[in-house]
Amino acid sequence: MRVPFLDLTAQYNEVKPEIDAAVAEIFATSAYVLGKWNRELEAKVAAIHGVRHGIAVNSGTDALRIAMQACDIGPGDEVITTAFTFVASVETIVQLGATPVFVDIDEATYNMDPSKVAAAVTSRTKAIMPIHLFGQLANVSEIERIAKEHGLTVVEDAAQAVGNHYEGKAAGNWGRAAGLSFYVTKNLGAAGDGGLILTNDDEVKERSLSLRIHGMGRERYYYDEVGYTSRMAELQAAVLTCKLARLDDWNRRRGELAEIYLQELSDEAIGLPVTSVGNNHTFHQFTVRHPQRDQLMAFLKENEIDSGIYYPVPLHLHKPYASFGKGAGSLPVTEKVSRECLSLPIHQHLSDEQAQFAASQVAEFCRTAAVTR
Ligand SMILES: Cc1ncc(COP(=O)(O)O)c(C=O)c1O
């Protein structure tokens, strides 16, 4: 039985009438840029997070870069973050002329280990960027406490955490700003790139609105600072708004599939995802850990089950970011998790039978590996 990692065609087919009508209307009216769909998406996404402002931009990467710039993060500043993430989290810090300072992750949740943060604070530390990986928030209440104690700004990388909350407070409320991603593979995915900045701060909102159109002020063709071209296309805003109505159902379905995996694999010698207390996990990824990860992946492939490695090499071991880290061995948990992690297919169009089959094959591998080790 084939178990695909994603099924974007099934996703489109489910929302086809709404998307097709919206796209036809955009072409019929030639309203391509910063129009009603952008405004509707911004208002709705802000509302589901209980945040005052949403600013739609061209990608999650731009959302992070613009959010940090709007929070005055720049040359000379240090930003404490983690290396077990997609490159954009750290790339944007470096692009702003700031310095990423890596701390290790928590082995259970793969998110920032707050107990490592205080020791990384220096006189140059400006901000902490927790990354809410795989569909649950980092331990933000503890991170918020540390940030307050040291007078630091928090900018949340919520690229994988649309609609997630911790202790009843959604992403976007734990920092001065947060960046969401709507890349095609996300729980809420566009037909291409898209992102959004969440903030309760009026100044960050105004600067973000300006930065997404080249730093232009209220007067046309007058510029306040160096900005970007980062408008979200109306076509993308329309696709996202149509899909947003389904997001709760889709996340519920991901939760059911996660339950199947968790039950079927509960007795096996494999690391399973842990939902930390206070979180609503929406399983952007269902990531397991096994010491023979590459063999497990190959075994699944032989049985027509897709899987993915997020992320194979932590960022402090990549050439452009090595100078910001302390080399191999400096982040032991991050490095171990990178060696062992494997994400199994989990999307709303997977059937129970497909999840059960994938789980049975993982279980079979675990038993064989345990005997031959
Ligand atoms: C943790 C994380 N941060 C940032 C990004 C960047 O988002 P985008 O791909 O929309 O630019 C992503 C997207 O994959 C991500 O997973």
Side-chain angles (χ1 to χ4, degrees), residues 11 13-14 34 38 43 45 59 77 84 106 163 167 214 220 237 244 271 282 284 311 318 353 367 371-372:
Q11 197 185 112
N13 284 335
E14 193 183 326
L34 295 182
N38 261 258
V45 173
S59 67
D77 295 331
F84 186 62
D106 167 47
E167 294 174 352
H214 305 283
R220 213 166 152 76
L244 187 57
T282 50
H284 172 58
Y311 300 90
H318 286 270
E353 292 69 33
R367 282 174 219 146
V371 172
T372 54

Side-chain angles (χ1 to χ4, degrees), residues 65-123:
R65 193 189 304 112
I66 290 173
M68 282 191 281
Q69 189 167 334
C71 289
D72 275 326
I73 295 166
D77 295 331
E78 289 180 356
V79 180
I80 296 172
T81 192
T82 46
F84 186 62
T85 179
F86 181 62
V87 66
S89 320
V90 170
E91 171 190 64
T92 47
I93 297 171
V94 177
Q95 284 166 343
L96 290 172
T99 302
V101 174
F102 299 116
V103 294
D104 217 341
I105 56 170
D106 167 47
E107 190 158 355
T109 62
Y110 315 139
N111 281 326
M112 178 179 279
D113 179 349
S115 74
K116 300 288 193 299
V117 174
V121 175
T122 73
S123 57

